[in-house]
Amino acid sequence: MNLVFLGAPGVGKGTQADRLVAQYGMRKISTGDLLREAVRNGTELGQQAKAYMDRGQLVPDAVVIGLVKETLAKTGDGSGFILDGFPRTVPQAQALEHVLEEQGIRLHGVINFRLSREEIVRRLSGRRSCPNCQATYHVQFSPSRQGEQCDRCGATLVQRSDDRQDAIETRLKVYEEQTAPLINFYEKKQILSHLESEGSVDAVYERLTKVLEACSAA
Ligand code: AP5
């Protein structure tokens, strides 16, 4: 299946996408991960993107659309993909339609993750990431067994620069203004399903698999 994961920052899109990747071998295409990789590698694109990301603002559409187009062109092995965090604006969604049509790819579903603002802030402010293997933890809900070190590779965990309180506020505002209109965009295309993202990672995953069964039957 080819899916889009939509939702505010911190709702758990990346966590659930990783589960689907582990269980079904799907490919996760996260624009946030791709951009952070470009920043780490010090590429020209990464240098352009860094200032926007640190402030919690969106990277310009043209940059992100080019990145996704390039990645989708390399994907085509039929195992299915999850677009995590893309599209995030109406022009990005329109560009995605065009690219999918051009490459003869069908989109099976858009999953809209819903969570209270209070819980979003709790999840984002407690998130820790591994700068080496990119594993994600939460200080309260899913801590590393080794404390400050990554369970997978032993590197020291860090807090993302955009998980500071001021950047979280900006990201939530940007989401409401620029990304939330996509709910209506995809509802009109009758391809949108809502997913309640409250509760444990396992509970959300169970709900997600039910939603996906319904998508695949449609
Ligand atoms: P990106 O990396 O995409 O960040 P985001 O959308 O803000 O989403 P997050 O990764 O913060 O949250 P998530 O929903 O994946 O939650 P997660 O699973 O990690 O983008 C970063 C930046 O890049 C943007 O601000 C922008 O600048 C740029 N960018 C990216 N895409 C772009 C685009 N298309 N256009 C323009 N710019 C773009 O979970 C969060 C925490 O909660 C974790 O600690 C996790 O362990 C925990 N958790 C998850 N699920 C649960 C649960 N059920 N119970 C308890 N804890 C949980």
Side-chain angles (χ1 to χ4, degrees):
M1 289 181 90
N2 300 321
L3 304 167
V4 164
F5 278 7
L6 193 66
V11 288
K13 305 180 296 293
T15 301
Q16 297 298 328
D18 287 342
R19 283 273 182 117
L20 286 178
V21 169
Q23 186 163 0
Y24 297 107
M26 294 171 80
R27 173 111 196 265
K28 172 172 125 174
I29 303 173
S30 156
T31 39
D33 288 350
L34 291 171
L35 290 166
R36 278 185 291 278
E37 189 185 345
V39 171
R40 277 196 304 278
N41 293 337
T43 64
E44 199 183 322
L45 188 149
Q47 284 168 20
Q48 275 178 38
K50 188 174 184 325
Y52 293 99
M53 295 173 78
D54 283 347
R55 286 195 299 263
Q57 289 169 345
L58 294 185
V59 173
D61 284 342
V63 174
V64 188
I65 290 166
L67 198 60
V68 170
K69 198 170 173 180
E70 206 178 284
T71 310
L72 278 176
K74 287 189 236 151
T75 298
D77 61 358
S79 56
F81 59 77
I82 306 153
L83 280 168
D84 168 14
F86 181 92
R88 258 173 152 103
T89 63
V90 171
Q92 288 183 17
Q94 288 163 338
L96 176 64
E97 279 191 327
H98 186 70
V99 172
L100 293 179
E101 204 180 301
E102 227 175 44
Q103 299 185 13
I105 299 171
R106 179 181 162 207
L107 191 62
H108 298 88
V110 176
I111 315 299
N112 179 40
F113 286 62
R114 297 200 285 207
L115 187 65
S116 69
R117 187 186 173 94
E118 194 189 356
E119 185 62 20
I120 285 175
V121 172
R122 195 175 301 142
R123 287 189 187 176
L124 286 178
S125 50
R127 176 165 55 188
R128 297 293 179 271
S129 315
C130 175
N132 182 43
C133 72
Q134 318 321 316
T136 301
Y137 300 89
H138 190 282
V139 290
Q140 185 186 350
F141 304 126
S142 49
S144 165
R145 287 186 301 276
Q146 302 186 57
E148 305 277 296
Q149 265 68 48
C150 177
D151 281 337
R152 272 202 230 156
C153 72
T156 301
L157 302 178
V158 295
Q159 182 170 36
R160 261 170 54 175
S161 53
D162 59 350
D163 282 344
R164 293 184 328 266
Q165 192 58 38
D166 55 336
I168 291 175
E169 291 300 326
T170 307
R171 286 159 72 199
L172 290 174
K173 190 162 176 277
V174 166
Y175 165 77
E176 285 304 331
E177 289 171 0
Q178 300 193 52
T179 308
L182 291 181
I183 296 172
N184 194 22
F185 179 94
Y186 283 119
E187 233 159 19
K188 280 193 192 144
K189 297 191 183 291
Q190 299 186 327
I191 197 175
L192 187 89
S193 305
H194 296 289
L195 176 74
E196 301 310 324
S197 198
E198 299 281 347
S200 69
V201 173
D202 286 345
V204 178
Y205 189 65
E206 203 181 314
R207 260 177 250 139
L208 173 62
T209 50
K210 290 206 176 97
V211 168
L212 295 185
E213 275 166 25
C215 286
S216 69

